[in-house]
Amino acid sequence: MNMQSNRARWRGIVALTAVSCAAQIGQFGIAFVLYPLALSARGGAPWQLGLVGGALWAGMAAGLLLAPRLIRRHGHGATVGAGLLVSGLALLLSPSLPTSSWVALAFACGLGMGLRWIGNETWLYDILPEKARGRLVGLHETLLGIAAVLGPVLIGWLDAAGSRIFVVAAAFCLLAALPLYLARAYRVPAHADHESASSFAAWLRGLARPGALIAGLGGLMEGALLGLFAAYAGWRGLDTAQAAWLLSAYGAGAMLLQFPLGWLVDHRGLRVGTVVTAVLTAVCAVLLWPGLCNGWTLGALMFVFGGAQAGFLTLGMIAATDGLGGAEMAGEVSRVSLAYSGLSALGAPLVGLLISASSGAALLVFTVIVALLLATLVQRHPQLRSSVAAS
């Protein structure tokens, strides 16, 4: 590759990373926290929070399934742009419409994120240099983690019960269109093999692969946490603003701990990194029981908890891009993304029903069980065992 094309490659990487960061703030950092918190502030029951939280993830899964077809027909840029527009409109309409319509609006917001995710990430990952891929993916996830910090901070500042925060979220979606326009500096062709990841049967088969397994079970826990944290906070006697600030600590951990996790995987392997992350998640969930951590220690615990839970997607993406390239890598990224968002969509409504039938403790018990299950499955996974033996 000559110097001019190499500079174009890095311009494309920077522009696409900027698209990810800006869109992630509006579509995920704000929206995925805002809808359940805003509904809770308007008197929503735990099962209703679970439905809205699940709709966000279900919409994302639908977007991930639809994105490959749009990429083949219209290209990556148009697919990303459509995702930004859909999410932006859903966020703008939400505060002026009754909460009974929020399941549909949350689904639309998630749909836009799914379109942006596959359209942008497969484009970006396809132009990354092969060397130090684990660290580069970890760095990218770290930058995306800015959204998980800034989103709850903005919600706590502007108030989840008002309409301004919805407008701010929509503005970030539209802001991402500027670097998207600049990203044309480096184009890649649409991959014909995208459609292999677009069928439900392919998604189910892909759940057995390490990347989909790790990201999927991680998403099951993260979807439950983000969708039902307001109910857990109420069980502990915390108000909406306190819940938002704790989620900002959670987001800070999600942002700052991904690069160290990528370093751990580069030096000790995917299996070790996943088991450590799963055990740490279970320990954090136990310590979140009322009376064990309060004040600044609770914030510090949420910081570690966020890093661990967000780490499962990082680990899944590292597994998905390991030794792959071109269409094969794009298909695997799609499968991992579908597993993550599909199981995330189940986590919130499932735990919402459990909390309605018991208490906020159900969220913690659920997280411990899934984390320990994941650690056990990874220890016994034949592909990971063989990769350790080969190294």
Side-chain angles (χ1 to χ4, degrees):
M1 178 178 289
N2 60 40
M3 185 176 299
Q4 184 176 3
S5 60
N6 192 50
R7 283 199 299 268
R9 172 199 287 259
W10 282 104
R11 285 197 300 270
I13 290 172
V14 171
L16 291 173
T17 300
V19 173
S20 290
C21 291
Q24 190 81 351
I25 293 171
Q27 292 177 313
F28 184 79
I30 297 178
F32 273 63
V33 176
L34 175 60
Y35 276 105
L37 285 179
L39 184 56
S40 177
R42 290 163 170 80
W47 66 268
Q48 292 173 309
L49 306 188
L51 281 180
V52 169
L56 287 161
W57 297 101
M60 186 195 299
L64 295 173
L65 287 166
L66 179 61
R69 294 184 179 91
L70 292 180
I71 291 171
R72 288 196 307 275
R73 293 178 183 177
H74 306 292
H76 289 83
T79 301
V80 176
L84 297 175
L85 181 61
V86 169
S87 293
L89 288 176
L91 287 161
L92 284 174
L93 290 172
S94 293
S96 61
L97 294 177
T99 56
S100 59
S101 67
W102 281 17
V103 170
L105 291 167
F107 182 90
C109 185
L111 174 69
M113 181 172 174
L115 295 177
R116 187 267 302 173
W117 185 357
I118 290 301
N120 201 75
E121 304 304 274
T122 57
W123 188 0
L124 173 62
Y125 288 158
D126 211 33
I127 64 176
L128 285 177
E130 288 296 328
K131 296 180 180 179
R133 182 173 290 275
R135 287 182 287 272
L136 287 171
V137 173
L139 178 60
H140 181 255
E141 295 300 321
T142 296
L143 293 174
L144 291 186
I146 294 172
V149 180
L150 186 58
V153 168
L154 289 171
I155 294 170
W157 179 39
L158 295 175
D159 185 13
S163 61
R164 289 183 300 169
I165 186 61
F166 284 95
V167 175
V168 169
F172 274 107
C173 295
L174 299 179
L175 179 65
L178 177 59
L180 177 64
Y181 174 77
L182 299 176
R184 74 193 193 286
Y186 195 94
R187 295 183 181 275
V188 294
H191 296 304
D193 149 0
H194 265 115
E195 57 186 328
S196 65
S198 65
S199 71
F200 186 65
W203 174 45
L204 290 178
R205 288 195 299 270
L207 286 176
R209 302 186 184 188
L213 174 68
I214 296 166
L217 290 180
L220 189 66
M221 292 182 280
E222 188 176 10
L225 185 283
L226 292 178
L228 276 303
F229 191 77
Y232 164 79
W235 177 60
R236 287 202 57 159
L238 304 172
D239 61 27
T240 302
Q242 290 171 314
W245 289 113
L246 283 175
L247 285 172
S248 69
Y250 176 94
M255 175 180 68
L256 297 175
L257 297 182
Q258 300 317 297
F259 187 80
L261 178 58
W263 179 91
L264 177 63
V265 172
D266 282 343
H267 288 80
R268 297 300 302 274
L270 183 65
R271 184 174 68 164
V272 170
T274 305
V275 171
V276 167
T277 304
V279 171
L280 190 58
T281 295
V283 170
C284 288
V286 170
L287 293 177
L288 280 171
W289 194 270
L292 296 182
C293 287
N294 294 288
W296 71 268
T297 57
L298 180 58
L301 182 63
M302 286 295 291
F303 176 87
V304 177
F305 194 36
Q309 286 215 306
F312 294 118
L313 181 57
T314 300
L315 292 163
M317 286 300 179
I318 291 173
T321 59
D322 184 24
L324 302 179
E328 189 179 8
M329 183 270 292
E332 187 63 16
V333 168
S334 295
R335 278 185 284 270
V336 168
S337 304
L338 281 168
Y340 170 74
S341 59
L343 290 180
S344 295
L346 295 177
L350 175 60
V351 175
L353 290 174
L354 293 175
I355 291 178
S356 293
S358 55
S359 70
L363 175 62
L364 306 181
V365 174
F366 177 83
T367 300
V368 170
I369 292 173
V370 176
L372 295 181
L373 173 65
L374 177 55
T376 302
L377 292 175
V378 166
Q379 283 279 35
R380 298 179 177 180
H381 200 289
Q383 286 181 252
L384 294 178
R385 288 209 313 230
S386 63
S387 66
V388 170
S391 61

